[in-house]
Amino acid sequence: MDKNANILYRTLQLPDFSPTLLASFHRYQETTRVWYEKDGQYLQKEDHFIDEWDDHKKEQVISSLRACVASGGVVVGAYVEDACIGFVNVEGAPFGSKQQYVEMPYIHVSNDWRGAGLGRKLFAHCCEQARQLGATKLYIAAHPSVETQHFYRSIGCTYAKEINEEILAREPLDIQMEFLLSENHS
């Protein structure tokens, strides 16, 4: 693996969502500390768990990404040769009190490609797509790990001003965040 390899970023179309899309993708994250909300304050605590996708989980993710594109959203993939090494998506349906938000459900970089700046580049692509969809804010239900929270804060994300209860219900331990699209932090 050459982290200086030519990485191609491209918008995926429905035919791209084959069962092998994530065949070489390695979703692995070991968490030891997490952020959590209690009485309006955000605190840290120890919590050890591992997130790793098996083939069944990859099939679920591919199905979700396909549904996103079919319903007007956008998926951007990062590729080296034919291997997908990272991806991000933005849903097409606006929400919020002023229809200001669109959701970014996924942003992932294959474990062996982390640290090469792909996350920031994928996030920038996502923000551009969200602007094109007419949103002024990106809504993110972010993994609570300290490392993930550091990534989101380092690119300018803040706690969400409006909480989407449906999104919160999917992963109640996630930290609800937002990114103001008129600012260019990425």
Side-chain angles (χ1 to χ4, degrees), residues 53-124:
W53 291 352
D54 60 14
D55 289 341
H56 179 69
K57 177 61 177 176
K58 288 180 182 182
E59 289 170 13
Q60 291 176 324
V61 171
I62 292 167
S63 178
S64 179
L65 295 173
R66 182 183 304 112
C68 171
V69 170
S71 65
V74 179
V75 177
V76 175
Y79 286 83
V80 170
E81 297 175 9
D82 291 331
C84 179
I85 59 169
F87 61 93
V88 65
N89 75 314
V90 61
E91 295 289 345
F95 61 91
S97 60
K98 298 176 184 173
Q99 300 294 293
Q100 71 272 32
Y101 291 105
V102 290
E103 181 189 10
M104 182 187 78
Y106 291 106
I107 182 169
H108 290 286
V109 173
S110 189
N111 190 53
D112 46 344
W113 282 89
R114 293 197 187 134
L118 272 74
R120 288 179 179 276
K121 289 178 183 170
L122 285 166
F123 189 78

Side-chain angles (χ1 to χ4, degrees), residues 43-59:
L43 307 167
Q44 284 188 30
K45 67 179 178 180
E46 288 186 27
D47 192 3
H48 187 266
F49 57 94
I50 294 174
D51 288 317
E52 188 165 24
W53 291 352
D54 60 14
D55 289 341
H56 179 69
K57 177 61 177 176
K58 288 180 182 182
E59 289 170 13

